Amino acid sequence: MIVTTAGRTNQEIIERAYKISKVLKVPFEERRKRSISKLRDERDCNILVVGKERLELFYKESSEPFFFHPNSAMFRAKRWIKGERDPFLEAVNLKEGDSFLDCTLGLASDSTMASLAVGEKGKVVGTEGNRYVAYIVKEGLKSWETSIAELNRAMKRIEVIAEESENYLISCEDKSFDVVYFDPMFHQTVEESAGIESLRPLALHYPVTKKMVKEACRVARKRVVLKDHFRSPLFNALNFDVHKRKTALFHYGVKNLLTIEL
């Protein structure tokens, strides 16, 4: 991994790129009018490009760069603010002031909705095992501006942890979050997840295991929620109550810890 600047740059962007390289502990490389493909061929590595508007990660195995964007959170937030239903928020059943742990942060679309639901007195934490993805998402959440002030505040409240979810869960105290959430990357691409295609090559693909769910049940006060493809065997294997949705390509599985014995 190296850090460089966009093609059109200035001293401010150069200084920012250099600072980012120090934070991530990777080399800074001056662009010197080279194309990204030429620079990637010369250095044979992934490249984080610092531009005026955003950070872009050019990954060797991907034709498209990864960068932060609110993905589905934009239209979902607009609908929810208008009073329309959101299946994710119905599954997690968050209340104002609740705390939420997202063990599969991705582009933070669900965490953004969770942050809207719990409000300023609540707490939303998301884990991301790829530290470069975590950094890009963390910076994007702080800097992205939409026309919806409430959404902007919600994104800025999310805390991003650059750590694999299982390790973070193990470090958490008992009943330290109200809800713990898993959304493993689908093995089958579905239309609803098309917005995260650039993230797929960068994601750490690890299964949600019985051990992880057990830890999640220890950490959660109210419920553990799993989102997965409607054909997923995980719901039955991990003993989740499935919230089936007609015509939907994914369902939510729920463990309501207030009504079951572990």
Side-chain angles (χ1 to χ4, degrees):
M1 174 69 74
I2 62 171
V3 175
T4 190
T5 61
R8 292 186 177 182
T9 190
N10 55 43
Q11 190 59 35
E12 182 181 352
I13 294 175
I14 292 171
E15 290 176 2
R16 185 185 177 210
Y18 182 73
K19 289 179 180 177
I20 290 173
S21 75
K22 294 301 181 184
V23 171
L24 295 177
K25 298 179 180 179
V26 297
F28 169 72
E29 179 94 9
E30 290 187 15
R31 185 70 176 264
R32 298 202 302 271
K33 298 183 179 181
R34 289 171 292 179
S35 68
I36 291 299
S37 59
K38 180 175 177 59
L39 189 55
R40 188 160 50 181
D41 289 343
E42 288 179 358
R43 295 299 303 269
D44 188 30
C45 65
N46 304 320
I47 302 173
L48 179 62
V49 177
V50 180
K52 183 179 179 181
E53 302 295 333
R54 67 189 188 191
L55 305 176
E56 293 185 329
L57 178 53
F58 288 81
Y59 195 63
K60 288 191 295 182
E61 284 74 24
S62 178
S63 59
E64 297 296 328
F66 169 74
F67 57 91
F68 175 79
H69 55 91
N71 199 24
S72 64
M74 279 288 293
F75 64 83
R76 289 170 64 191
K78 289 179 181 178
R79 292 174 181 174
W80 184 77
I81 291 170
K82 289 180 181 179
E84 297 181 32
R85 61 187 294 266
D86 184 87
F88 160 75
L89 290 180
E90 291 178 352
V92 294
N93 195 34
L94 290 165
K95 308 299 181 185
E96 188 172 352
D98 275 354
S99 55
F100 175 82
L101 173 60
D102 188 343
C103 291
T104 42
L105 182 65
L107 284 167
S109 295
D110 287 330
S111 280
T112 298
M113 296 303 296
S115 185
L116 281 169
V118 302
E120 294 183 3
K121 294 181 180 179
K123 175 183 178 181
V124 175
V125 175
T127 64
E128 171 53 57
N130 184 316
R131 68 189 184 99
Y132 306 118
V133 171
Y135 185 82
I136 291 171
V137 173
K138 180 179 180 180
E139 293 301 305
L141 287 167
K142 289 192 297 185
S143 61
W144 192 283
E145 292 291 330
T146 73
S147 59
I148 310 170
E150 188 176 352
L151 177 60
N152 297 338
R153 292 193 297 269
M155 288 193 292
K156 289 177 173 61
R157 289 195 297 265
I158 299 170
E159 180 183 355
V160 179
I161 304 293
E163 188 172 356
E164 291 189 22
S165 57
E166 184 171 353
N167 293 337
Y168 185 74
L169 278 169
I170 291 171
S171 73
C172 291
E173 296 182 358
D174 293 358
K175 309 302 179 187
S176 50
F177 287 89
D178 290 297
V179 177
V180 175
Y181 177 63
F182 297 101
D183 177 11
M185 190 72 69
F186 294 151
H187 294 293
Q188 294 178 253
T189 301
V190 295
E191 186 176 348
E192 286 91 335
S193 64
I196 62 171
E197 281 306 301
S198 63
L199 177 58
R200 253 174 221 284
L202 299 164
L204 299 182
H205 296 272
Y206 49 82
V208 178
T209 64
K210 289 184 178 180
K211 180 181 178 183
M212 291 174 69
V213 172
K214 183 178 180 180
E215 286 295 327
C217 289
R218 176 186 64 80
V219 171
R221 282 187 288 266
K222 295 181 178 179
R223 59 178 54 192
V224 176
V225 178
L226 168 68
K227 173 186 175 182
D228 211 345
H229 194 276
F230 74 97
R231 294 195 186 101
S232 174
L234 284 179
F235 295 123
N236 287 332
L238 300 174
N239 197 30
F240 279 87
D241 294 326
V242 183
H243 290 195
K244 295 182 178 180
R245 302 184 301 133
K246 290 183 179 180
T247 74
L249 294 177
F250 58 87
H251 295 324
Y252 292 97
V254 176
K255 286 182 180 289
N256 189 340
L257 305 181
L258 300 179
T259 62
I260 65 173
E261 293 185 9
L262 304 181

